[in-house]
Amino acid sequence: DANLDGTLSFFDLKFFYGSILQRCHRLSEERVASILSKDVPYLLSLEAQSEDLRFIEFCRVFNSTQLGADLLSAQLAEFESRAGAFQLIRKVSDRMAMKLCIGILTLLA
């Protein structure tokens, strides 16, 4: 938000999109080409319609791209598989909850 007016430009959206796409190392070149062939015309049509986006619109536009949908489904699959970062967070949360309960019981005893 360079203008501090609560909006983001399509340049910001394209930069964010490109950064996310570049960080997806598991995607084959064919999959990247497929994603781009679907998303580029969509993003260009939106850019022609509007100048700036509010944050909620920015999120809606990104999530409506093929890359956004693929990223969301990958995150959900990781969460549901009980592996990766989400599992680590869950274990840490469970341990903290257990320690908190033991601490409360100790204080009450």
Side-chain angles (χ1 to χ4, degrees):
D1 184 15
N3 301 333
L4 300 175
D5 60 357
T7 61
L8 298 159
S9 69
F10 267 92
F11 175 78
D12 297 326
L13 178 66
K14 290 186 286 187
F15 186 82
F16 179 76
Y17 182 94
S19 297
I20 296 295
L21 188 62
Q22 188 177 23
R23 307 278 266 149
C24 294
H25 301 292
R26 294 184 223 162
L27 296 177
S28 66
E29 288 184 26
E30 294 81 21
R31 183 65 186 144
V32 170
S34 172
I35 289 171
L36 288 173
S37 70
K38 293 176 184 174
D39 289 347
V40 168
Y42 171 68
L43 292 172
L44 290 175
S45 71
L46 289 176
E47 184 177 22
Q49 297 173 11
S50 177
E51 292 181 13
D52 291 330
L53 300 167
R54 298 231 173 260
F55 182 73
I56 193 75
E57 295 166 333
F58 181 94
C59 294
R60 181 190 54 77
V61 169
F62 179 77
N63 288 334
S64 64
T65 64
Q66 186 64 51
L67 179 61
D70 286 359
L71 185 62
L72 178 61
S73 59
Q75 293 294 321
L76 288 173
E78 181 180 343
F79 180 74
E80 291 172 354
S81 74
R82 300 180 183 262
F86 291 113
Q87 180 63 19
L88 176 63
I89 291 168
R90 185 177 297 141
K91 284 182 182 178
V92 170
S93 297
D94 290 345
R95 289 181 185 157
M96 290 300 293
M98 183 63 77
K99 289 178 183 179
L100 181 62
C101 289
I102 291 172
I104 291 172
L105 290 174
T106 303
L107 288 174
L108 293 175

